[in-house]
Amino acid sequence: MAHFSAAFLKEMKVSLEEMKTKIEHELKGTVTDEFPDYGTKEDENAEEMATYETNIRLEETLQGELRDIVKALSTIDDKTYGVCKYCKKPIAEERLRARPTSGSCVECKKTITQEA
């Protein structure tokens, strides 16, 4: 289990909650259950499809980010925040400040990305 100061954990929780609020707001702006209607001409239909596909990809990305944020917040609550999911060692505070949703230490991340 990683041992971080209460101030650091509070800082990370506030940061994650701010990120969560921002992404939830952005998700409200990507309504993919409604198909855009620019008109009936061929070029307008092509633009409708492009817009719709872009919105779907954006929504999927935002949902993934939101999932990671919710997971990180839950690890703060259950006191496992900042523990690498691979080697079980503490993740450096600098890494968590740069990427609060990180679930792996730099060393493990490098190893995993080199294997891929």
Side-chain angles (χ1 to χ4, degrees):
M1 173 183 276
H3 297 283
F4 297 107
S5 70
F8 175 75
L9 290 173
K10 182 178 180 181
E11 174 189 339
M12 293 298 94
K13 188 168 187 169
V14 167
S15 177
L16 287 162
E17 288 172 345
E18 288 173 354
M19 291 167 60
K20 183 177 182 255
T21 299
K22 180 181 178 208
I23 288 177
E24 287 171 339
H25 179 73
E26 289 178 26
L27 274 169
K28 288 179 185 173
T30 60
V31 182
T32 55
D33 56 346
E34 294 179 18
F35 199 80
D37 185 12
Y38 298 136
T40 57
K41 295 180 183 170
E42 190 173 324
D43 61 331
E44 293 168 335
N45 289 337
E47 188 176 348
E48 290 169 2
M49 279 302 298
T51 299
Y52 187 71
E53 289 173 5
T54 298
N55 285 345
I56 287 176
R57 285 190 298 275
L58 175 60
E59 185 175 300
E60 289 171 352
T61 299
L62 291 173
Q63 287 173 344
E65 289 176 15
L66 184 59
R67 182 190 62 243
D68 292 346
I69 292 167
V70 169
K71 172 73 173 152
L73 285 167
S74 74
T75 63
I76 289 174
D77 292 338
D78 69 17
K79 312 239 186 296
T80 60
Y81 181 73
V83 177
C84 177
K85 62 185 172 185
Y86 302 105
C87 69
K88 307 301 182 211
K89 294 180 183 174
I91 300 170
E93 285 188 19
E94 298 81 28
R95 176 161 173 77
L96 293 170
R97 279 197 173 93
R99 189 169 182 269
T101 58
S102 184
S104 63
C105 66
V106 172
E107 294 79 21
C108 288
K109 187 66 172 181
K110 284 181 183 178
T111 301
I112 292 165
T113 55
Q114 287 174 356
E115 291 175 1

